[in-house]
Amino acid sequence: QVQLVESGGGLVQAGDSLRLSCAASGRTIDRHFAVAWFRQAPGKEREFVGCIIRGHGGPKYADSVKGRTTISADNAMKTVSLHMTSLNPDDTAVYFCAADLAQSRFTYQFGSAYKYWGQGTQVTVSS
């Protein structure tokens, strides 16, 4: 079992940066443990933002946030951070972290690949 709690959301201005944290408890030390960030804006489908997978090289990012987003984790993957710069109103959404073990053919960009989810944290970017 893995429990996830997001924090760091809030109201920011366009052009600002934001750091979200995902605190994970439970079996986070397993090899191939994966933590992803997704977001969902009102009236829109859930969107993959990025992920980090132990033992699978560097983080992976969606094209829509690549270049202005950094995902990092401590060695135990107890805390996974999402740092996003140059925020714009299109980044307004509820941000969720999700986790699971990256099994064979792990489709990291799809929410259905993850068993464990946090409750989400609201990010609102004003213009």
Side-chain angles (χ1 to χ4, degrees):
Q1 285 286 346
V2 174
Q3 294 78 41
L4 304 170
V5 178
E6 303 94 337
S7 61
L11 174 64
V12 296
Q13 300 288 325
D16 285 352
S17 61
L18 186 70
R19 183 179 299 275
L20 305 179
S21 292
C22 176
S25 58
R27 293 188 60 84
T28 66
I29 63 172
D30 288 337
R31 184 170 176 76
H32 307 306
F33 184 71
V35 177
W37 285 95
F38 289 82
R39 65 185 182 183
Q40 187 164 21
K44 295 187 177 180
E45 293 187 355
R46 184 173 55 196
E47 176 189 20
F48 172 75
V49 176
C51 70
I52 186 166
I53 306 173
R54 173 177 287 125
H56 286 233
K60 309 177 193 306
Y61 302 102
D63 288 343
S64 60
V65 301
K66 193 175 295 183
R68 62 187 184 95
T69 300
T70 302
I71 293 176
S72 60
D74 60 17
N75 287 339
M77 294 190 73
K78 292 294 187 183
T79 301
V80 177
S81 298
L82 170 72
H83 184 227
M84 189 176 291
T85 63
S86 302
L87 290 165
N88 62 74
D90 288 340
D91 294 315
T92 295
V94 178
Y95 284 71
F96 299 89
C97 64
D100 210 330
L101 292 179
Q103 307 287 357
S104 175
R105 299 178 183 175
F106 186 67
T107 52
Y108 60 83
Q109 69 270 42
F110 294 104
S112 57
Y114 300 87
K115 181 177 181 180
Y116 304 103
W117 290 81
Q119 81 288 351
T121 185
Q122 175 71 45
V123 173
T124 303
V125 183
S126 64
S127 58

